[in-house]
């Protein structure tokens, strides 16, 4: 119980009076007020003790205080404010121990935190990586803005395997913009392309970057200080100045002029005429003869003897498609012979890109390249085109409807590894790993016993997609959103397994035969600053965190 002196010392001067004037009260009123306050204080303390055990009695306390305050206001106008101050100080003690529960993290927060815990370096790291063979300078512009600057009007979309003029460019751009899908096409007319390139370079806000799958993968790998990277491709003076200092370029790869690619970007929701982009992406065009002929492939293979890499990364096969069947048919045979010269113990990763010629893709798939590489990286458009070209699962699907169905993707990946890879131990094919990436999620599918640390690898690839798209070094949860399904099936048809993504452990693993699948969602950047090169960064990061499982000697 409070002492009388304690109550008196807590009193405040009455407004409008001096310090001594505020204390000059009738003795009877002071005694009554202090006695009443002492009684109320005792009631509060008693109620506090009771309310800790029985929370509903708070209502009784409130009622007592209300009656007391109403009565005492007439005898001491200052008393209500003092009582309220005292009650305010006392009420926090009436809460249950531990205070209020913290707000649970959002799904995005939980996934980003879990990635930090899951991602760990492999036990055996690459020391030297050789990358080839396509390299160029990217000119990045607003796609709609550039087409308007070229005096083109919006219209209907239509795909073209090769672009022969500005109308073809407009139609192909609208076709893929409406789908929100990435695409790359060869522009056959050199003079018209050069005029478009000049307009792009002069367009307000145009930006210049390192380009080409090989160069972009090399740049990403070179960000790891422990890695030495060899890059072989047509490297001109401007590109050479932009490359990381850790990248070694063979003198035979240097040329007097740069190859330029035009990157026409569009934002999510951007509209041109009746076409509206469901998500941000880009359309790429070029008239690139050096990369189109893979002219530095033999130089690349010859450089490996001296460089002695732990890993070889190959890209640029898609560039030959636009050069015509006569050229690519012969050149592909030469490429296979060259790739076959790489030492068996050195794994080869092939990065695919957008293609439209089914005969060419089928040749890569069945007869030529896929059986002699160990790993491939590709997106949803390239995966669908592979199964359409090779008559695989869901080949009748014209296009993906929104986020690609996980079960369908899983079926196609399994088919690739079983029919064109080494899922069958008796197979002579070398393909044992596929890194699939789409906007909302990534999957790493591997034949058991060949690759390690794939949980970290798939999570690292998704993390870099989330950060790089926003132009950041790490994930900012305020700038990303989860679009991946948290519940899905392991296959599109029966028998199939129902699976779930747990945000606190955001890599879901399942097996089909002797193939393991690792899926993680992507935290999609709400306002991406740059989409080009994301696939290359994803594959590069996935490789950095991967390791080859040593094979027992026979």
């Amino acid at each position: 119980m409070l002492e009388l002196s304690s109550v008196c010392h807590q009193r405040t001067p009455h407004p409008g009076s001096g310090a001594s004037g505020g204390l000059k009260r009738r003795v009877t009123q002071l005694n009554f007020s202090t006695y009443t306050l002492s009684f109320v204080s005792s009631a509060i303390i008693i109620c506090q003790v009771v309310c800790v055990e029985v929370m509903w009695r708070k209502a009784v306390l409130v009622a007592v205080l209300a009656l007391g305050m109403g009565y005492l206001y007439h005898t001491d106008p200052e008393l209500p404010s003092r009582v309220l101050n005292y009650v305010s100080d006392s009420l926090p003690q009436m809460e249950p121990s531990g205070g209020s529960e913290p707000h649970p993290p959002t799904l995005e927060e939980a996934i980003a935190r879990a990635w930090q815990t899951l991602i760990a370096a492999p036990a055996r790291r690459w020391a030297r990586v050789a990358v080839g063979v396509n390299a160029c300078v990217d000119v990045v512009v607003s796609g709609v803005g550039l087409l308007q600057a070229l005096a083109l009007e919006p219209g209907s979309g239509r795909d073209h395997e090769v672009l022969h003029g500005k109308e073809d460019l407009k139609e192909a751009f609208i076709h893929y913009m409406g789908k929100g899908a990435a695409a790359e096409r060869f522009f056959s007319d050199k003079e018209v392309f050069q005029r478009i390139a000049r307009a792009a370079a002069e367009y307000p806000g145009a930006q210049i970057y390192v380009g080409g799958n090989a160069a972009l993968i090399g740049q990403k790998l070179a960000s790891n200080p422990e890695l030495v990277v060899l890059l072989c491709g047509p490297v001109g003076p401007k590109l050479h100045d932009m490359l990381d200092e850790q990248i070694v370029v063979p003198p035979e790869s240097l040329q007097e002029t740069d190859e330029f690619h035009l990157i026409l970007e569009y934002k999510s929701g951007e509209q041109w005429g009746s076409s509206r982009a469901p998500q941000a992406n880009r359309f790429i065009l070029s008239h690139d003869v050096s990369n189109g002929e893979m002219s530095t492939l033999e130089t690349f293979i010859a450089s490996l003897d001296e460089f002695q890499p732990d890993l070889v990364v190959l890209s640029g096969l898609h560039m030959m498609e636009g050069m015509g069947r006569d050229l690519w048919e012969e050149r592909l045979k030469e490429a296979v012979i060259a790739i076959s010269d790489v030492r068996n113990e050195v794994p080869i990763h092939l990065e695919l890109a957008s293609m439209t010629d089914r005969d060419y893709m089928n040749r890569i798939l069945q007869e030529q390249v896929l059986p002699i590489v160990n790993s491939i990286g590709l997106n949803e458009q390239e995966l669908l085109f592979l199964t359409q070209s090779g008559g695989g699962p869901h080949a009748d699907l014209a296009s993906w409807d929104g986020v690609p169905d996980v079960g369908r993707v899983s079926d196609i990946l399994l088919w690739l590894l079983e029919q064109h890879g080494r899922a069958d131990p008796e197979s002579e094919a070398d393909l044992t790993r596929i890194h699939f990436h789409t906007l909302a999620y990534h999957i790493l599918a591997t034949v058991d016993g060949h690759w390690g640390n794939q949980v970290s690898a798939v999570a690292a690839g998704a993390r870099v997609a989330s950060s790089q798209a926003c132009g950041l070094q790490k994930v900012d949860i305020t700038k990303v959103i989860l679009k991946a399904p948290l519940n899905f099936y392991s296959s599109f048809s029966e028998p199939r397994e129902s699976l779930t993504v747990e945000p606190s452990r955001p890599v879901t693993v399942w097996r089909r035969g002797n193939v393991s699948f690792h899926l993680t969602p992507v935290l999609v950047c709400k306002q991406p600053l740059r989409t080009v090169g994301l696939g290359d960064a994803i594959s590069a990061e996935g490789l950095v965190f991967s390791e080859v499982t040593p094979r027992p000697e026979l």
Side-chain angles (χ1 to χ4, degrees), residues 144 146-154 166-167 169-170 272:
V144 172
L146 177 61
L147 295 181
Q148 290 174 331
L150 294 172
L152 292 169
E153 297 292 332
K166 292 192 294 184
E167 284 296 319
L169 167 61
K170 180 191 76 173
W272 194 38

Side-chain angles (χ1 to χ4, degrees), residues 256-275:
E256 294 181 358
T257 59
D258 288 278
E259 298 285 359
F260 288 90
H261 288 200
L262 307 185
I263 316 297
L264 279 58
E265 292 193 322
Y266 49 84
K267 299 177 181 178
S268 177
E270 188 170 1
Q271 190 158 353
W272 194 38
S274 61
S275 182

Side-chain angles (χ1 to χ4, degrees), residues 56-75:
W56 64 267
R57 293 191 182 181
K58 287 182 180 178
V60 176
L61 173 61
V62 173
V64 170
L65 290 175
L67 290 172
M69 293 292 290
Y71 174 75
L72 295 175
Y73 178 77
H74 297 283
T75 57

